[in-house]
Amino acid sequence: MRVMVTGGAGFIGSALVRYLVSEIGADVLNIDKLTYAGNLASLQSVQGAANYRFLRADICDRSKLRQAFDDFKPEIVMHLAAESHVDRSISGAGDFIQTNVVGTFSLLDEAKHYWEKLEGTAKSQFRFLHVSTDEVYGSLGPEGLFDEETRYDPSSPYSASKAASDHLAIAWQRTFGLPVVISNCSNNYGPYHFPEKLIPLMILNALEGKELPIYGSGLNIRDWLYVEDHVRGLFTVASRGRVGEKYNIGGRNERTNLEVVTRICKILDDVAPRENPHSDLIRHVADRPGHDARYAIDATKLEEELGWRAQESFETGVEKTVRWFVDNEAWWSPLRKQVYSGERLGILTRS
Ligand SMILES: NC(=O)c1ccc[n+]([C@@H]2O[C@H](COP(=O)([O-])OP(=O)(O)OC[C@H]3O[C@@H](n4cnc5c(N)ncnc54)[C@H](O)[C@@H]3O)[C@@H](O)[C@H]2O)c1
């Protein structure tokens, strides 16, 4: 099985590449531009594998994409390349529109160009998985869950760009017949998570005795999924999902941000004790503009139709994650020193 993965040097993409190369035994071509979020150190375990290759390319570069399709001849495309951090999309949305919207358009159109030349089962079995987020649905009140029929209502420039890319993917299926499937997932966490997102940022700040900034009240709710559960879900949808369908992926693990940070502090009190409890470092700071109150995923369709289940609870997953960061300073230390040291992003400035 030949699988083209875009964004395979990122957090979820690298977990997917490690899974496909090591556990599934697929031939993988990883296409990644290596932005600040792309990191080949996350792929060290597969770097020398005969069934893995890497191409540094921008998904907006159509001639490189065309060449890659012609050379590699993928049976499945799994599209994860994106600008993914909400706070950065508030500071500047240009890269989000370029990669998430224009880049997805370029990839869909090059996939169509390649797919139209295929014949027989190669054509009918080809799949394009577009990987998206639950943030396209906007914000929930205290009750209810997002399902696949929930109306799109994105709040941030990031989620609006992802919503646009979802619509493009659906249009390429309905209009041109490209065999597209879409997944919408809740917040991921786990090893190799770039330390700008809540969980790794809090772990590293706490380890370094720095303040733990909580946006607003800290009562905003996210539905957390361990990245390896997500990756198995992505492969399930790409290989067995029905063409033209969307599948929500989530672990039924709703937690307030304050609960998440408090849990991390408790684990660190055991694993890396300091004089005072780590929770003493918690500080409430100005809220994120447009901060969605609550996300929660109903994953019944994926569970019942394709038999996927999250294996990790939030408690087991977050414990593994904290221990991984404690044990892997060699992975995160260069990122903290050279790429992003934890300063606040996404504050509105008047122009
Ligand atoms: N992180 C989450 O919690 C989450 C949840 C649901 C869905 N998603 C989606 O999953 C996908 C992966 O998310 P992630 O958290 O791993 O993101 P990430 O930011 O960690 O990684 C993104 C990767 O894409 C690459 N990239 C960016 N622009 C590119 C371009 N123009 N051409 C080629 N490569 C480019 C980067 O170099 C990086 O390796 C995204 O599409 C995101 O929207 C993420």
Side-chain angles (χ1 to χ4, degrees), residues 10-12 32-33 35 38 58-59 80 84 99 132 158 162 188:
F11 165 49
I12 302 169
D32 198 295
K33 180 180 174 181
T35 66
D58 188 326
I59 54 163
L80 291 88
S84 70
T99 288
S132 192
Y158 163 66
K162 291 297 290 187
N188 281 219

Side-chain angles (χ1 to χ4, degrees), residues 6-20:
T6 70
F11 165 49
I12 302 169
S14 66
L16 176 65
V17 169
R18 293 191 300 272
Y19 173 75
L20 291 172

Side-chain angles (χ1 to χ4, degrees), residues 7-13 31-39 57-60 79-84 99 131-134 158 162 185-188 193-194 196-197 230:
F11 165 49
I12 302 169
I31 300 182
D32 198 295
K33 180 180 174 181
L34 298 183
T35 66
Y36 77 95
N39 186 355
D58 188 326
I59 54 163
C60 300
H79 173 36
L80 291 88
E83 288 293 334
S84 70
T99 288
V131 177
S132 192
T133 165
D134 62 352
Y158 163 66
K162 291 297 290 187
C185 187
S186 57
N187 282 49
N188 281 219
H193 204 177
F194 188 83
E196 63 187 352
K197 307 278 167 68
H230 185 199

Side-chain angles (χ1 to χ4, degrees), residues 138-322:
S139 187
L140 287 167
E143 301 294 319
L145 301 170
F146 297 134
D147 65 24
E148 289 77 2
E149 307 306 318
T150 303
R151 190 172 68 91
Y152 276 35
D153 189 18
S155 302
S156 71
Y158 163 66
S159 53
S161 70
K162 291 297 290 187
S165 67
D166 290 15
H167 293 315
L168 291 174
I170 291 166
W172 260 243
Q173 195 277 317
R174 290 189 192 160
T175 306
F176 305 113
L178 186 70
V180 169
V181 276
I182 297 185
S183 61
N184 294 85
C185 187
S186 57
N187 282 49
N188 281 219
Y189 68 98
Y192 302 99
H193 204 177
F194 188 83
E196 63 187 352
K197 307 278 167 68
L198 179 73
I199 289 182
L201 181 66
M202 295 299 141
I203 297 172
L204 299 193
N205 276 10
L207 279 174
E208 292 173 354
K210 293 186 177 155
E211 292 188 350
L212 306 178
I214 306 253
Y215 293 174
S217 63
L219 298 180
N220 301 61
I221 292 175
R222 300 291 177 264
D223 186 354
W224 293 95
L225 183 67
Y226 192 63
V227 66
E228 290 172 15
D229 278 328
H230 185 199
V231 157
R232 286 187 303 101
L234 292 178
F235 185 64
T236 303
V237 173
S239 51
R240 294 194 285 114
R242 281 181 293 136
V243 169
E245 293 288 322
K246 296 173 80 233
Y247 294 86
N248 283 352
I249 311 182
R252 302 178 196 279
N253 278 304
E254 287 183 55
R255 297 287 183 284
T256 67
N257 290 342
L258 200 52
E259 284 169 340
V260 168
V261 177
T262 307
R263 182 82 209 125
I264 290 169
C265 288
K266 285 233 165 65
I267 298 168
L268 281 173
D269 287 344
D270 288 340
V271 177
R274 62 195 286 275
E275 205 178 316
N276 297 317
H278 287 87
S279 55
D280 284 2
L281 299 167
I282 292 175
R283 299 284 179 279
H284 290 267
V285 298
D287 207 352
R288 167 189 279 169
H291 203 178
D292 287 334
R294 175 172 168 256
Y295 304 142
I297 281 270
D298 179 355
T300 306
K301 180 174 174 181
L302 176 59
E303 291 167 346
E304 291 191 351
E305 197 178 303
L306 302 179
W308 173 90
R309 288 277 181 292
Q311 291 175 359
E312 224 51 78
S313 70
F314 182 72
E315 280 63 36
T316 58
V318 86
E319 170 118 24
K320 280 187 184 178
T321 305
V322 171

